[in-house]
Amino acid sequence: MRSHYCAELNELNIGEEVELVGWVNSHRDHGGVIFIDLRDRSGLIQIVADPADSVEAHKIAEIVKDEYVIKTKGRVRLRGEGLENPKLKTGKIEVVADSLEIENTCEVLPFQIGDKNVNEELKLKYRYLDLRDPDNLETFVLRSKVTKAVRDYFDSVGFIDVETPILTKSTPEGARDYLVPSRVHPGKFYALPQSPQLFKQILMVAGFDKYYQIAKCFRDEDLRADRQPEFTQVDVEMSFVTQEDVIKTIEGMTKEAFAVAGIDVNLPIERITYHEAMEKYGSDKPDLRYDLAMIDVIDEFVDSNNEIFSNIAKDKIKNRFKALKIPGGDNFYSRKKLKELENFVRKFGAAGLAYIQIKEDGLKGPILKFLSEKSLEKLISKLNPQLGDIIFFGAGYKKTVLDYMGRLRAKIAKEMNLYNEKDFKFVWVTDFPMFEKDEKGNPTPLHHPFTMPNMQTWDEKNFENIKSVAYDLVLNGYEIGGGSIRIHKEEIQKKVFKLLGINEIEAREKFGFLLDALKFGAPPHGGFALGLDRVIMLMRHTDNIRDVIAFPKTQKAQCLLTEAPNEVETAQLKELHIRIHKPKND
């Protein structure tokens, strides 16, 4: 039906008869001669309908409209002198139509193709029209190429691509499961997998040695701009490996994948520990395109004449006193903007936001009156501020201070344009805590309960001090993937379950098939999962993950195109032994 894609043609095709198909991107009538910009997935080419060449083709061209689907046959020729379009790949040539045929018409569009100011809900309802935007097409061409590069890489280093089940058992992995009722087992449910975690570990027990999968995963959790209820991850597991082996393998994959987008990943990727990331940047996914490291100044406030400050400074384990020096910040932030920053950190638990301004006539700031002369000298010596700088201070409970000061750091960097949006800065974050406290003060796994603890740090009484053999890959402030060495010995897995309060009966009920597998010669193994959607989002310089998923859900987990989720017939519910009880407010 077609001899070429539109943008494949060039000066070498001059004089050839070609057959093209596509959509009318635009059409123009210039005194009897009609010009049509024909579009397919490769790009645009100009079609000329001249009654001097073909009366029939010209008649058809008179009635075509934007987004009509047409087919044309014609001859390639050079455009006239001064009529070239340097913005088009095919801007030096055009096709003179000998025949023109309308394959399909198009109704009035709800929005213009490529309009960036259209309401997102409208675009998602008519997603097929939104996807006609060449910019969106480019996203999915890139995604396809990245996926191929990942597959090629793993194939080249001896990995096996294995599909794991979509209908599986509900197991606690940190988020709510999507449940699927069973028709043949009344009252029982399958769960859609949050990850292939247990299956890939079992594949290692089976001796597959190196596994990977481009896996669909599902999590019923509140959505954000970088989160969807169903998402795709590059899932990896390897046997007889250390953390170093996994990291080296993933770095190789990352280099190949980002090369597709023209991005060079310098290896080895920098590493920092979880402790360093939190203390210096207030986040376990720090954006290192800019510095702005927080500095510990708790010692300088021990002798403060402010009782609140001095009491905070006396407990270095539970509390933190952090300084954030912003070069040129005093010249940038007006009094009004400083108030806005204070209101910002208050939303995350700060009692206020103290600061010192470095001005020509000396240091200014309300916090100065609470410092002794000696402590102030130590503080200035440690921070070494310059004229025009401003220093912000956060004080209080460790977790709260690190959180809001880390958020402040990111906000200031964005407002002051302290980094290039198109830069890519990778970092490994290692040595994560194995556990954290839940709302009741009990241990809960920071990653998942199959992560190998660093047994040299095992301390059940102080479980927050137990380290794990886990590692995250961070890019520009986003966690793009994470992994760990897994527990491969039953006795260690039982110790972890015991600390988590999972008794033997509950452990067998939830994870019995994995525990059984660990008894049958399970090798040491570890793995990683890369968030493919998030990676493409960053490659395309967008902050909305919906832009890089062909048919995404809204923040309410709805598909506006298909109107899912939707109600089903009573007969279907009866087959599944389900009765609906809607909340009263519905």
Side-chain angles (χ1 to χ4, degrees):
M1 193 173 187
R2 65 155 66 95
S3 63
H4 300 78
Y5 281 98
C6 293
E8 286 179 345
L9 298 173
N10 55 45
E11 295 95 310
L12 296 176
N13 301 106
I14 290 171
E16 291 183 17
E17 293 290 328
V18 297
E19 186 170 352
L20 305 175
V21 293
W23 286 261
V24 175
N25 195 70
S26 64
H27 62 292
R28 307 171 299 281
D29 190 335
H30 288 184
V33 178
I34 297 174
F35 297 90
I36 297 171
D37 283 341
L38 184 65
R39 184 189 75 242
D40 63 18
R41 79 176 201 189
S42 70
L44 301 176
I45 193 167
Q46 180 169 280
I47 308 298
V48 181
D50 190 333
D53 293 298
S54 172
V55 173
E56 290 302 316
H58 185 264
K59 284 182 179 179
I60 299 296
E62 286 182 313
I63 61 174
V64 301
K65 295 181 180 178
D66 288 358
E67 298 306 311
Y68 274 29
V69 182
I70 65 171
K71 175 172 69 175
T72 185
K73 290 182 180 179
R75 176 174 47 83
V76 181
R77 73 179 185 191
L78 277 174
R79 294 195 186 194
E81 188 176 345
L83 298 176
E84 295 179 355
N85 185 348
K87 294 181 181 179
L88 287 183
K89 185 179 177 182
T90 58
K92 292 184 178 181
I93 59 172
E94 59 191 9
V95 174
V96 181
D98 295 325
S99 68
L100 203 62
E101 183 178 337
I102 296 175
E103 295 281 9
N104 216 333
T105 59
C106 179
E107 293 187 358
V108 176
L109 297 172
F111 55 85
Q112 291 301 308
I113 305 300
D115 187 347
K116 305 301 182 185
N117 297 314
V118 179
N119 175 276
E120 187 182 37
E121 290 192 357
L122 186 63
K123 289 200 294 183
L124 292 179
K125 181 178 180 180
Y126 297 96
R127 183 61 167 163
Y128 42 86
L129 296 179
D130 186 36
L131 289 175
R132 287 187 191 176
D133 181 350
D135 190 53
N136 284 337
L137 175 62
E138 190 176 332
T139 294
F140 292 96
V141 170
L142 174 67
R143 184 173 178 134
S144 176
K145 289 179 178 179
V146 168
T147 302
K148 181 180 183 301
V150 167
R151 291 189 184 280
D152 289 346
Y153 170 77
F154 282 120
D155 183 64
S156 72
V157 291
F159 280 72
I160 304 171
D161 183 357
V162 183
E163 291 183 353
T164 54
I166 293 296
L167 293 176
T168 184
K169 182 179 181 178
S170 179
T171 56
E173 289 194 43
R176 287 184 294 272
D177 288 321
Y178 277 103
L179 299 176
V180 180
S182 170
R183 177 182 60 82
V184 295
H185 300 284
K188 295 186 177 181
F189 295 82
Y190 299 101
L192 302 182
Q194 294 184 34
S195 77
Q197 182 64 44
L198 302 184
F199 288 106
K200 67 180 182 177
Q201 288 192 245
I202 287 173
L203 285 173
M204 297 303 100
V205 178
F208 279 40
D209 194 65
K210 291 181 178 180
Y211 141 95
Y212 87 97
Q213 181 184 187
I214 310 295
K216 270 286 188 183
C217 303
F218 307 85
R219 294 180 185 175
D220 184 7
E221 57 187 355
D222 296 332
L223 305 185
R224 303 185 306 231
D226 65 337
R227 182 184 286 171
Q228 280 277 291
E230 56 179 309
F231 57 95
T232 305
Q233 68 184 35
V234 180
D235 204 53
V236 181
E237 200 75 10
M238 307 163 63
S239 292
F240 303 105
V241 292
T242 64
Q243 173 176 293
E244 292 300 314
D245 297 319
V246 178
I247 285 178
K248 185 177 179 181
T249 299
I250 298 306
E251 286 184 345
M253 175 204 70
T254 303
K255 189 171 184 68
E256 293 296 320
F258 277 81
V260 173
I263 300 160
D264 184 30
V265 180
N266 293 320
L267 301 182
I269 292 170
E270 179 185 352
R271 299 186 202 182
I272 60 174
T273 65
Y274 171 87
H275 177 79
E276 183 183 359
M278 295 302 298
E279 293 290 339
K280 291 177 71 174
Y281 308 111
S283 172
D284 60 0
K285 45 183 183 295
D287 189 341
L288 299 188
R289 287 175 293 178
Y290 49 94
D291 188 14
L292 297 190
M294 296 187 295
I295 299 172
D296 190 9
V297 292
I298 198 165
D299 289 338
E300 283 69 33
F301 284 85
V302 171
D303 64 351
S304 172
N305 57 34
N306 181 299
E307 190 175 350
I308 295 175
F309 287 167
S310 61
N311 285 337
I312 288 172
K314 286 173 185 175
D315 192 338
K316 296 182 182 181
I317 296 176
K318 290 184 179 180
N319 299 329
R320 287 295 181 271
F321 220 120
K322 291 289 185 179
L324 185 62
K325 183 179 72 173
I326 310 300
D330 185 49
N331 297 325
F332 183 85
Y333 283 103
S334 63
R335 183 171 297 180
K336 179 183 177 182
K337 286 183 177 180
L338 289 173
K339 188 63 179 177
E340 289 173 359
L341 291 182
E342 181 179 353
N343 292 336
F344 173 78
V345 295
R346 283 184 183 277
K347 291 189 295 184
F348 302 103
L353 185 62
Y355 57 84
I356 294 176
Q357 298 161 297
I358 317 301
K359 295 183 175 292
E360 287 188 6
D361 55 346
L363 306 180
K364 304 290 182 182
I367 199 173
L368 292 170
K369 62 187 176 184
F370 301 125
L371 284 163
S372 67
E373 188 175 332
K374 185 178 179 181
S375 292
L376 181 58
E377 286 178 4
K378 287 182 179 179
L379 185 69
I380 296 304
S381 176
K382 180 179 283 189
L383 299 176
N384 189 30
Q386 305 299 310
L387 181 64
D389 294 352
I390 190 169
I391 305 164
F392 293 104
F393 296 89
Y397 179 59
K398 172 184 170 182
K399 189 173 182 180
T400 303
V401 171
L402 296 182
D403 178 55
Y404 74 72
M405 289 297 281
R407 293 176 186 271
L408 178 66
R409 170 184 180 268
K411 180 178 176 63
I412 289 172
K414 187 177 181 70
E415 289 180 349
M416 293 184 66
N417 297 315
L418 298 182
Y419 57 91
N420 186 336
E421 291 277 0
K422 295 189 176 182
D423 283 347
F424 289 84
K425 181 63 176 177
F426 295 84
V427 62
W428 284 106
V429 180
T430 64
D431 299 326
F432 279 82
M434 182 76 181
F435 306 101
E436 60 184 348
K437 286 183 179 179
D438 64 14
E439 297 84 0
K440 297 180 181 179
N442 297 320
T444 184
L446 192 67
H447 282 82
H448 56 68
F450 318 110
T451 300
M452 177 67 80
N454 180 339
M455 297 308 293
Q456 293 181 342
T457 65
W458 189 266
D459 181 357
E460 294 186 13
K461 291 183 179 179
N462 301 295
F463 61 81
E464 286 184 289
N465 295 332
I466 300 174
K467 298 282 193 299
S468 65
V469 190
Y471 34 84
D472 281 359
L473 184 56
V474 174
L475 173 60
N476 295 358
Y478 289 89
E479 176 210 331
I480 61 172
S484 67
I485 298 300
R486 322 301 187 189
I487 297 170
H488 69 284
K489 293 185 177 181
E490 186 186 16
E491 60 267 25
I492 298 178
Q493 190 67 76
K494 283 184 175 179
K495 287 187 75 168
V496 171
F497 283 158
K498 181 182 177 182
L499 186 54
L500 292 172
I502 301 174
N503 61 42
E504 194 167 335
I505 295 174
E506 186 182 1
R508 287 222 55 83
E509 182 182 330
K510 293 179 177 178
F511 311 109
F513 61 101
L514 176 64
L515 297 178
D516 286 342
L518 295 179
K519 297 176 182 178
F520 290 93
H525 59 284
F528 187 83
L530 181 86
L532 183 62
D533 308 304
R534 198 169 287 180
V535 164
I536 303 300
M537 180 185 82
L538 292 168
M539 285 181 175
R540 293 293 288 158
H541 302 288
T542 174
D543 58 3
N544 190 337
I545 206 165
R546 294 187 289 275
D547 292 341
V548 302
I549 296 174
F551 301 103
K553 305 292 190 294
T554 66
Q555 285 198 316
K556 293 183 178 180
Q558 293 174 301
C559 175
L560 300 182
L561 175 67
T562 63
E563 298 183 339
N566 64 315
E567 295 182 352
V568 298
E569 295 179 1
T570 304
Q572 288 178 277
L573 294 174
K574 191 173 181 180
E575 280 187 324
L576 296 169
H577 316 283
I578 290 176
R579 183 180 299 159
I580 302 297
H581 290 280
K582 290 188 176 182
K584 290 182 180 180
N585 59 358
D586 286 350

